[in-house]
Amino acid sequence: MIEHLPRFIADYGKKLEDVGIERGKGEIEIILCYLLDCDRLDLYLHGEQRFNEEHFRQFSDILSKRLTRYPLQYILKESWFYGRRFKVSPSVMVPTPETELLCETAIKFINSKKLKKPKIVDLGVGSGVIAITMAKELDDCSILGLDISVDALKVAHNNAINFIATDKIEFLESDYFQNVPADSKFDLILANPPYISEEEYKLLPPEVLADPKISLTSGDEGLDAIKKILRDGPDYLAHDGRIMFEIGYNQADQVTELTSKDDRFKSIVILKDLNDIDRVVILSCNK
Ligand SMILES: C[S@@+](CC[C@H](N)C(=O)[O-])C[C@H]1O[C@@H](n2cnc3c(N)ncnc32)[C@H](O)[C@@H]1O
């Protein structure tokens, strides 16, 4: 039993904050909800009574791991994205909330087109959050989720099984478009590519450094994956389709310049995230 939940959360939250974790109290709430298998409201209504000695033992174990700055999502083996709980492991990047903007934009685009069974590709599927969110949020669609990492594909496939989404998603081991049949056409090409430069990589917090490096960096400037998507994407785009991908906070100008030199691109729009940072590129092509 916890005597006074707000004090428990504040005290242990402070321990996390003391080692440099920003939202220590929020993380303690997440751990308690995980252990009690409840939501935040239930935690505050019934948490004090339900928390027992075994919960406290598990809590202490999780806390001591988290105090080393190992990501909470890898400790709990789960991460929330777009209102769903996904399984994660250290072979996939922990999904970030910024990527929800990419999904939201993609869903709006597909719904506005009223296409019959739109075809979508998710380049670098990772844990599967983008592909599975699209599968669950769209009525009818066919999705190809590819990744160069076989371990990531296993995690994504398991998540797709858990969310009963395997009928809509096919998984493929591929270096971007390399193993995608040349005559494939997609209404939507989606990607949250690795986009961190080698210079920035050195400055990342320990939690992000625990992600597989292949999911973070892409060449010295962090632009190699984006350049590949820009090089090959138009060939795989259906008439009036869109290429949408996430970018780093300082890449909008570079991406605009790259697309302006290539007359296959018709328009570029860059959306800002909730922190007012350029985040999602939307491209249409002359076809
Ligand atoms: C930033 S993570 C995104 C993961 C997931 N889509 C998400 O949003 O959480 C980038 C993903 O691209 C994959 N990747 C890296 N290089 C790749 C390549 N050459 N071809 C295909 N996938 C690649 C990584 O394995 C990783 O899963």
Side-chain angles (χ1 to χ4, degrees):
M1 205 169 122
I2 296 174
E3 257 181 38
H4 189 258
L5 185 76
R7 195 165 54 235
F8 183 97
I9 290 172
D11 290 350
Y12 285 103
K14 168 107 183 20
K15 282 186 198 290
L16 293 182
E17 283 156 16
D18 285 347
V19 297
I21 294 167
E22 267 176 33
R23 281 179 283 275
K25 292 176 200 67
E27 291 207 10
I28 297 297
E29 287 179 349
I30 293 172
I31 300 170
L32 293 177
C33 288
Y34 168 86
L35 290 173
L36 296 172
D37 194 19
C38 68
D39 61 22
R40 201 165 164 266
L41 179 63
D42 267 349
L43 172 67
Y44 279 92
L45 288 177
H46 310 293
E48 289 177 353
Q49 299 89 332
R50 286 190 49 206
F51 198 77
N52 61 30
E53 270 179 37
E54 174 55 20
H55 291 132
F56 188 70
R57 201 191 54 71
Q58 292 177 24
F59 175 83
S60 306
D61 191 37
I62 293 169
L63 190 79
S64 64
K65 288 184 186 141
R66 185 63 185 114
L67 283 167
T68 69
R69 302 286 304 266
Y70 194 60
L72 185 60
Q73 294 89 341
Y74 289 153
I75 299 169
L76 304 183
K77 301 186 174 63
E78 64 180 41
S79 181
W80 286 87
F81 185 85
Y82 221 88
R84 295 185 179 85
R85 193 201 312 238
F86 288 83
K87 292 276 171 213
V88 292
S89 81
S91 49
V92 293
M93 190 187 90
V94 171
T96 59
E98 289 83 1
T99 308
E100 295 188 341
L101 175 65
L102 178 67
C103 290
E104 203 181 299
T105 311
I107 292 161
K108 275 189 202 150
F109 168 71
I110 291 291
N111 283 337
S112 74
K113 287 285 155 193
K114 301 197 170 25
L115 296 166
K116 199 164 165 268
K117 206 165 176 130
K119 285 187 74 182
I120 300 167
V121 62
D122 175 8
L123 305 170
V125 76
S127 58
V129 286
I130 299 174
I132 293 168
T133 300
M134 299 304 287
K136 298 309 285 181
E137 297 291 325
L138 296 173
D139 286 342
D140 198 16
C141 58
S142 118
I143 303 168
L144 176 63
L146 63 83
D147 208 292
I148 201 166
S149 157
V150 178
D151 289 337
L153 286 166
K154 283 183 194 153
V155 174
H157 189 240
N158 277 332
N159 274 319
I161 292 171
N162 291 343
F163 284 109
I164 318 177
T166 46
D167 55 330
K168 287 182 176 169
I169 310 175
E170 189 191 325
F171 292 101
L172 177 71
E173 182 189 346
S174 183
D175 178 351
Y176 294 113
F177 286 103
Q178 200 170 65
N179 298 339
V180 179
D183 58 352
S184 309
K185 297 286 176 217
F186 299 95
D187 300 293
L188 186 54
I189 295 174
L190 287 175
N192 174 18
Y195 51 67
I196 292 172
S197 70
E198 288 297 334
E199 208 50 42
E200 286 165 340
Y201 182 76
K202 295 180 198 146
L203 307 172
L204 292 174
E207 285 82 357
V208 184
L209 287 173
D211 285 333
K213 188 163 190 259
I214 195 178
S215 66
L216 298 173
T217 61
S218 186
D220 277 355
E221 288 180 295
L223 280 169
D224 287 10
I226 290 174
K227 284 180 182 167
K228 279 189 194 173
I229 295 168
L230 296 178
R231 184 191 67 196
D232 298 334
D235 295 339
Y236 289 87
L237 202 63
H239 171 71
D240 204 23
R242 295 289 185 279
I243 301 172
M244 296 185 189
F245 56 91
E246 193 171 308
I247 55 169
Y249 72 96
N250 56 356
Q251 290 173 329
D253 288 348
Q254 286 153 305
V255 172
T256 306
E257 201 191 321
L258 287 168
T259 56
S260 68
K261 285 186 200 148
D262 187 334
D263 59 16
R264 294 174 303 164
F265 295 112
K266 187 160 102 186
S267 70
I268 177 167
V269 174
I270 301 184
L271 304 181
K272 289 186 187 292
D273 66 19
L274 292 174
N275 296 316
D276 210 27
I277 293 170
D278 291 319
R279 192 56 75 190
V280 171
V281 175
I282 308 172
L283 291 167
S284 69
C285 289
N286 288 310
K287 51 167 38 185

